[in-house]
């Protein structure tokens, strides 16, 4: 199965194409760090608007890098939370709309569970049960605060 992954939970737009037979075909990340630096942290509205501008062009770039077309996609996964509401909505709307247009399934993925289970995509997978430590963010920002609030409740 060839899946397009969209990650728009905070201030980075991440796009990847994963093939269950071949592994990761291509990926690209666009960072908004410079855009938010002057404010001392992530501004949610600016982050959302930037995801809207950058996601479709990044999808096209990743498709070209993977050597496939949209018609080759068999599913779309998008980040459903935790994160900034507007940023998540941007990715979910693009992902679900594209899936609808291509008549393929779309699936929301919990951001932290995605990080936790990412090793399962590797050739050498950890054996269940395993212990993991998830730490969110490198700087204090609204994204990390929102993630902690969502996890705590």
């Amino acid at each position: 199965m060839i899946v397009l992954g969209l990650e728009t939970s905070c201030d980075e737009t991440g796009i990847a194409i994963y093939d269950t037979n071949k592994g990761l075909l291509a990926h690209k990340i666009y960072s908004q760090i410079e855009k938010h630096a002057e404010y001392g942290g992530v501004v949610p509205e600016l982050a959302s608007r930037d995801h809207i501008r950058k996601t479709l062009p990044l999808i096209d770039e990743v498709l070209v890098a993977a050597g496939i077309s949209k018609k080759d996609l068999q599913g779309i996964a998008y980040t459903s939370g935790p994160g900034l509401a507007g940023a998540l909505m941007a990715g979910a709307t693009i992902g679900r709309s594209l899936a609808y247009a291509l008549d393929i399934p779309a699936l929301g993925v919990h951001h932290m569970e995605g990080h936790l289970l990412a090793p399962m995509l590797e050739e050498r997978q950890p054996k269940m049960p395993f212990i993991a430590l998830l730490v969110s963010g490198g700087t204090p920002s609204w994204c990390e605060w929102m993630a902690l609030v969502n996890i705590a409740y």
Side-chain angles (χ1 to χ4, degrees), residues 33-120:
I33 288 174
E34 289 181 19
K35 182 178 291 297
H36 299 284
E38 66 182 283
Y39 303 103
V42 177
V43 178
E45 182 65 21
L46 293 179
S48 303
R49 289 172 186 252
D50 219 23
H51 287 305
I52 292 167
R53 281 191 293 274
K54 299 296 183 183
T55 301
L56 290 176
L58 283 174
I59 290 171
D60 290 339
E61 287 181 37
V62 172
L63 287 168
V64 168
I68 64 171
S69 74
K70 288 178 184 147
K71 293 179 182 178
D72 295 316
L73 297 174
Q74 297 169 301
I76 297 178
Y78 58 89
T79 305
S80 61
L84 301 173
L88 292 167
M89 198 175 339
T93 301
I94 292 167
R96 286 188 283 194
S97 298
L98 185 55
Y100 180 80
L102 297 171
D103 195 28
I104 58 176
L107 176 69
V109 177
H110 188 282
H111 189 157
M112 302 308 281
E113 288 178 9
H115 284 293
L116 179 67
L117 297 175
M120 299 307 181

Side-chain angles (χ1 to χ4, degrees), residues 8 13 16 71 115 120 122 127 142:
T8 61
T13 308
K71 293 179 182 178
H115 284 293
M120 299 307 181
E122 299 295 327
K127 293 181 182 179
W142 283 105

Side-chain angles (χ1 to χ4, degrees), residues 1 18-23:
M1 180 175 213
Y18 184 84
D19 183 329
T20 53
N21 295 321
K22 298 177 183 176

Side-chain angles (χ1 to χ4, degrees), residues 113 116-121 124-132:
E113 288 178 9
L116 179 67
L117 297 175
M120 299 307 181
L121 299 174
R124 291 185 55 223
Q125 301 174 358
K127 293 181 182 179
M128 292 284 199
F130 66 93
I131 295 174

